Amino acid sequence: LALLSLQERARQIEALGVDYLLVIDFRKELAGDSTEHYVTGVLQGTLGAREVVVGENFTFGAGATGTAQSMQDFGAEFGFSVDIVPLLDDEGVRICSTHIRECLAQGDIESANWALGRHFTVTGPVVRGAGRGGKELGFPTANQYFPDTVAIPADGVYAGWFIVHSDSSIEGDMRPGVAYAAAISVGTNPTFGDEERSIESFVLDRDADLYGYEATVHFVGHLRDMVKFNSVDELLEAMANDVTKARQVLAADAKAQGWTAKDYFLREK
């Protein structure tokens, strides 16, 4: 499961100040290259590399026979430096993508965020859902659907930030690029028997037409597991409690981030 789309990886790499990003299509031909041809053909021939940075468990070449140490040996032979970055470990837990996926599968968004060093995010278009949130419940949501290849947190309700991406103004009282407080439902809405899994963000205290816009959801904290309620009234009471808890979680997060009012919107109640 992908923790980030290629587009989002590119955005984050650009934010780090990287000048150029080259995406290499990992074709069968490249997978079958010998370790030496990978070094001379790709690193030297295509990239003209002077310094190569790899993780200590890095492998390359046909059959993954190349290792970080053999890359260092090639560097000494062909005249480029190689930095081997050790894997991160916290009290016996390896900090890696596998660990982060496990945290997400358990709904432990706080641990996933700690391992990432940032909020876990998903980015995708806002589409029309069942239309139930605003009409029947009074909690209109921005609905997003993702393929099974994308990692998303376990079913449940979360507090998070909702950011719309647009070069133009948005109809309503939201602005592009601002992190708006949201209560976020992940799952299939068992109370109503929905089958398709979605991410539904109820943006607090805002009203805007978001259909068709690309948006990023930042998951901050887990509020509760997904529950099938016996009545709409029970569901509404739970949703009101979710909103109250979301405000508390996000107020603390905004303070911890050192954000100013121009960076986010949260009306405390």
Side-chain angles (χ1 to χ4, degrees):
L1 297 177
L3 293 175
L4 282 175
S5 67
L6 179 59
Q7 293 82 356
E8 188 58 31
R9 289 186 191 188
R11 280 195 195 114
Q12 296 201 15
I13 289 171
E14 182 182 19
L16 292 172
V18 174
D19 294 322
Y20 300 97
L21 169 65
L22 174 64
V23 179
I24 300 176
D25 183 12
F26 191 69
R27 306 178 310 277
K28 180 185 283 188
E29 296 82 0
L30 181 60
D33 273 355
S34 68
T35 54
E36 184 167 348
H37 188 267
Y38 179 84
V39 170
T40 58
V42 177
L43 295 183
Q44 282 198 307
T46 301
L47 300 177
R50 297 187 215 170
E51 182 175 359
V52 176
V53 181
V54 298
E56 66 178 75
N57 62 345
F58 172 74
T59 59
F60 66 101
T65 53
T67 64
Q69 184 57 55
S70 59
M71 179 63 77
Q72 203 163 54
D73 295 338
F74 277 123
E77 179 180 354
F78 292 105
F80 57 86
S81 62
V82 177
D83 293 331
I84 299 176
V85 180
L87 298 177
L88 292 176
D89 186 275
D90 180 62
E91 296 183 356
V93 177
R94 178 169 290 180
I95 308 303
C96 60
S97 58
T98 299
H99 171 67
I100 293 167
R101 291 187 189 95
E102 290 172 351
C103 291
L104 293 175
Q106 296 166 9
D108 187 358
I109 198 67
E110 292 83 0
S111 293
N113 289 348
W114 179 85
L116 284 165
R118 59 174 176 81
H119 297 141
F120 173 74
T121 65
V122 293
T123 300
V126 176
V127 301
R128 294 191 182 275
R132 184 184 301 116
K135 293 178 182 177
E136 296 183 26
L137 304 178
F139 289 87
T141 57
N143 298 271
Q144 295 169 292
Y145 296 88
F146 296 90
D148 293 338
T149 54
V150 175
I152 62 176
D155 290 4
V157 180
Y158 301 83
W161 302 104
F162 187 90
I163 303 175
V164 183
H165 307 290
S166 177
D167 294 329
S168 58
S169 60
I170 301 168
E171 184 179 343
D173 57 3
M174 293 175 64
R175 291 180 287 118
V178 175
Y180 290 95
I184 305 154
S185 173
V186 178
T188 58
N189 294 316
T191 301
F192 295 99
D194 294 346
E195 296 182 359
E196 190 172 6
R197 203 160 178 248
S198 66
I199 293 177
E200 297 187 20
S201 300
F202 170 58
V203 181
L204 278 56
D205 310 316
R206 301 281 92 178
D207 184 18
D209 183 1
L210 301 176
Y211 295 124
Y213 287 102
E214 190 92 351
T216 296
V217 177
H218 291 239
F219 287 86
V220 177
H222 179 268
L223 300 180
R224 64 173 171 85
D225 294 336
M226 186 62 71
V227 177
K228 182 178 180 179
F229 294 97
N230 296 320
S231 68
V232 171
D233 287 341
E234 283 188 13
L235 173 60
L236 288 172
E237 183 179 354
M239 293 173 73
N241 289 334
D242 296 337
V243 168
T244 298
K245 292 177 183 177
R247 291 186 193 281
Q248 296 168 353
V249 170
L250 295 172
D253 185 67
K255 184 177 181 179
Q257 298 279 343
W259 286 353
T260 62
K262 69 180 179 62
D263 301 312
Y264 73 95
F265 181 90
L266 174 65
R267 187 173 73 195
E268 297 188 52
K269 288 186 176 178

